[in-house]
Amino acid sequence: MDIKNKDLFRQQSFINGEWVDAINSKTINVNNPATQEIIGNVPNCGKDETISAIRSAKNSWKDWSSKTSKERSNILKKWFNLIEENQEDLARIMTIEQGKPITESRGEITYGASFVEWFAEEGKRVYGDTIPDVFQDRRILVIKQPVGVVAAITPWNFPSSMITRKCAPALAVGCPVVIKPASQTPFSALALGVLAEKAGFPKGTINIITGSAKEIGEELSTNPIVRKLSFTGSTEVGKILLRQCSSTVKKVSMELGGHAPFIAFEDADIDEAVEGAFLSKFRNTGQTCVCSNRLFIHEKIHDEFVEKFTIKVRNMKVGNGLEEGVISGPLIDQFSFRKVEEHVHDAVNVGAKIAIGGKKHKLGGTFYEPTVLFNVTNKARITYEETFGPVAPIYKFNNEDEVINMANDSPYGLASYFYSRDIGKIWRVAEALEYGMVGVNTGIMSKAEAPFGGIKESGLGREGSKYGLDDFLEVKYINIAGI
């Protein structure tokens, strides 16, 4: 691992302030998706280690929650500064284990750090209420208190920012956390643990456990000590965790799959729409839950859009993410690669045309050519299934009602995008789209100050912004009589 701060590369789990191996001494190899080389291994922990992490979090809860919001804020600020100071090393770790271009990794470290900075301040603003009572000798108070031990299960596609987005608000209001990072990308999480330890978080406040997703996930979702579970991942796994969490009636946040529509109306600025679609679609090689997965282009601008969009895609540099200038890296694994292949083949078999790409890249491995499809029909699997790869299917439409129906024809409801200069249309379409987030004349909209989350089968709850605190707090009503 070619980094300056060698301490950041840890190959052990972090439980109760100690770096530990699995009880059974078993490990999981971690590969570089660009080279297929093994870059290290982490403990293959299971139920017993998870119970230990949960108990250590519980033991730290009283001390951590009793600190003032300013005391917690000061530690979070130290964590933020350390993340910023080590940006380049953290970015290299991420690119090596995940594959995304180094410029994107640097951006993610900054984005992830912004949640720590935001909630370090926002945690001081957990306000209550006083409510007038109908009786003169009584007063109604409402206060908010930390929910308790929080479990965070994070994905491989954003291995740093998904941790800070979940854990910064939890920690800011007084909740200790147990983090289960994805086995494909554990080193980014462990590096954050190194910096958290250095920042001064008390023992047990932050625990990071690597290993069996099934065993760890089941324990985190059924153990009664855990009072809140936050998960980012597939809808299928999210439903399993929801069922398991119901056994102890936990609070949950679920940021699940997406199938984002991107709409360019006839009055759109075509060049801006092309740029926005490109940024949204091909970020992280198309491996994000908010990627534009279905591009609906008005028939009056369709041909020009396809031509300009294809030219932009043709100029993309594909390669190892550590090479400067690379825009598209490898897919995370063979399973993801096969899914992309299947979606493209299926779309072509039912009428789609390939403008560019459509096959395995000459670099081999899990590299796939950035692909643009047009003349795509609703018979194609790609119309209804999330691809999670560098494939942009383009559809033609001719009126507002039609495209809204097409866009909403999905069980998912995470992100959506559209381009228009008509202020009336902007209001109508933004309100009509059945999605938790709508980007108008932009292809990128995630930020710490805004609430991130979806509706329908894309999840529950919100992360980021002032609303992001509520999922880690319980509202308590106090009635005082005899005044």
Side-chain angles (χ1 to χ4, degrees):
M1 187 65 71
D2 184 19
I3 54 176
K4 293 180 180 178
N5 185 353
K6 302 298 184 183
D7 289 340
L8 292 175
F9 184 60
R10 299 302 296 255
Q11 299 183 75
Q12 292 175 297
S13 288
F14 187 57
I15 299 175
N16 198 33
E18 303 292 335
W19 294 96
V20 300
D21 296 317
I23 294 172
N24 60 15
S25 299
K26 292 183 178 179
T27 59
I28 299 173
N29 289 334
V30 181
N31 299 320
N32 180 335
T35 65
Q36 305 304 313
E37 295 174 332
I38 296 174
I39 56 177
N41 58 67
V42 291
N44 188 6
C45 297
K47 179 177 180 177
D48 291 340
E49 294 91 343
T50 308
I51 291 173
S52 176
I54 292 170
R55 286 175 177 167
S56 71
K58 180 185 178 183
N59 291 338
S60 73
W61 181 26
K62 184 176 181 180
D63 175 62
W64 182 243
S65 62
S66 66
K67 291 185 181 298
T68 66
S69 58
K70 184 174 182 179
E71 288 174 324
R72 293 193 295 266
S73 175
N74 288 338
I75 296 175
L76 281 162
K77 287 177 180 177
K78 290 177 183 177
W79 195 26
F80 163 75
N81 289 330
L82 288 167
I83 294 171
E84 290 275 278
E85 291 167 12
N86 288 273
Q87 182 201 39
E88 187 62 24
D89 281 347
L90 293 171
R92 291 186 68 83
I93 290 172
M94 186 185 302
T95 291
I96 291 169
E97 69 175 350
Q98 200 275 335
K100 68 175 59 178
I102 189 67
T103 52
E104 287 194 33
S105 294
R106 292 174 185 136
E108 183 180 339
I109 298 304
T110 299
Y111 173 61
S114 72
F115 288 100
V116 181
E117 181 183 38
W118 171 265
F119 285 111
E121 292 300 327
E122 201 65 18
K124 300 175 185 177
R125 303 182 181 97
V126 180
Y127 301 135
D129 290 295
T130 60
I131 302 172
D133 199 305
V134 296
F135 298 103
Q136 290 184 348
D137 68 336
R138 298 191 180 203
R139 301 293 185 271
I140 296 172
L141 302 178
V142 178
I143 65 172
K144 295 181 180 180
Q145 294 179 305
V147 67
V149 175
V150 170
I153 302 177
T154 58
W156 51 262
N157 57 338
F158 288 93
S160 180
S161 60
M162 294 304 94
I163 288 174
T164 57
R165 196 166 77 184
K166 296 177 187 302
C167 296
L171 293 163
V173 299
C175 298
V177 297
V178 179
I179 303 164
K180 164 62 177 79
S183 293
Q184 297 100 321
T185 56
F187 295 127
S188 291
L190 296 170
L192 288 176
V194 171
L195 297 179
E197 184 181 25
K198 189 174 181 180
F201 285 97
K203 286 187 176 182
T205 307
I206 295 179
N207 304 273
I208 306 171
I209 183 167
T210 61
S212 169
K214 185 178 185 301
E215 279 193 55
I216 297 172
E218 184 172 359
E219 187 61 35
L220 291 175
S221 57
T222 59
N223 193 305
I225 296 174
V226 176
R227 297 310 309 149
K228 164 68 190 281
L229 184 140
S230 180
F231 170 73
T232 295
S234 72
T235 297
E236 292 73 23
V237 174
K239 289 178 179 179
I240 293 171
L241 292 170
L242 276 170
R243 285 194 291 269
Q244 293 174 172
C245 284
S246 69
S247 66
T248 51
V249 196
K250 299 187 194 308
K251 292 190 74 168
V252 295
S253 294
M254 293 280 157
E255 198 261 283
L256 308 177
H259 200 35
F262 177 99
I263 305 168
F265 287 99
E266 68 273 26
D267 63 317
D269 182 308
I270 296 179
D271 291 333
E272 288 185 5
V274 166
E275 180 68 19
F278 178 82
L279 291 173
S280 176
K281 174 65 258 183
F282 293 103
R283 187 163 61 107
N284 197 20
T285 317
Q287 299 174 114
T288 88
C289 53
V290 294
C291 274
S292 297
N293 283 322
R294 298 167 293 153
L295 279 64
F296 301 109
I297 312 301
H298 194 276
E299 60 186 11
K300 289 184 179 179
I301 63 171
H302 174 273
D303 293 350
E304 183 180 354
F305 181 95
V306 171
E307 180 182 0
K308 289 183 174 181
F309 189 67
T310 301
I311 290 171
K312 194 164 185 67
V313 173
R314 182 177 290 117
N315 291 329
M316 290 174 66
K317 181 179 179 180
V318 179
N320 188 318
L322 290 177
E323 299 174 21
E324 292 291 344
V326 166
I327 297 176
S328 185
L331 291 161
I332 190 66
D333 55 29
Q334 284 295 331
F335 175 83
S336 297
F337 180 87
R338 286 193 298 270
K339 184 178 182 181
V340 171
E341 275 194 322
E342 290 169 4
H343 275 196
V344 172
H345 291 162
D346 173 76
V348 171
N349 286 339
V350 293
K353 306 296 183 184
I354 298 175
I356 191 172
K359 62 182 184 296
K360 188 172 187 173
H361 196 275
K362 62 184 179 181
L363 290 173
T366 58
F367 287 94
Y368 194 87
E369 291 183 345
T371 299
V372 177
L373 304 175
F374 65 99
N375 199 37
V376 184
T377 72
N378 60 9
K379 296 179 181 178
R381 286 175 56 193
I382 203 169
T383 303
Y384 302 104
E385 298 178 13
E386 186 178 24
T387 305
F388 236 61
V391 181
I394 298 177
Y395 306 76
K396 188 183 293 187
F397 74 94
N398 61 24
N399 66 71
E400 185 178 319
D401 289 340
E402 176 195 19
V403 76
I404 288 174
N405 288 333
M406 294 167 71
N408 288 340
D409 186 17
S410 171
Y412 302 105
L414 188 57
S416 57
Y417 311 86
F418 71 92
Y419 276 68
S420 173
R421 291 296 178 186
D422 182 330
I423 188 63
K425 184 182 293 179
I426 287 173
W427 274 107
R428 291 193 306 272
V429 175
E431 292 177 350
L433 287 171
E434 296 172 354
Y435 292 83
M437 299 178 287
V438 182
V440 184
N441 295 323
T442 180
I444 302 291
M445 56 178 167
S446 299
K447 54 195 69 180
E449 300 84 356
F452 188 104
I455 61 174
K456 300 190 287 186
E457 293 191 21
S458 284
L460 303 165
R462 292 296 181 269
E463 295 180 337
S465 81
K466 66 177 183 179
Y467 303 102
L469 291 178
D470 292 340
D471 281 308
F472 302 96
L473 294 165
E474 294 284 16
V475 175
K476 180 179 284 186
Y477 155 49
I478 303 171
N479 191 303
I480 304 174
I483 295 175

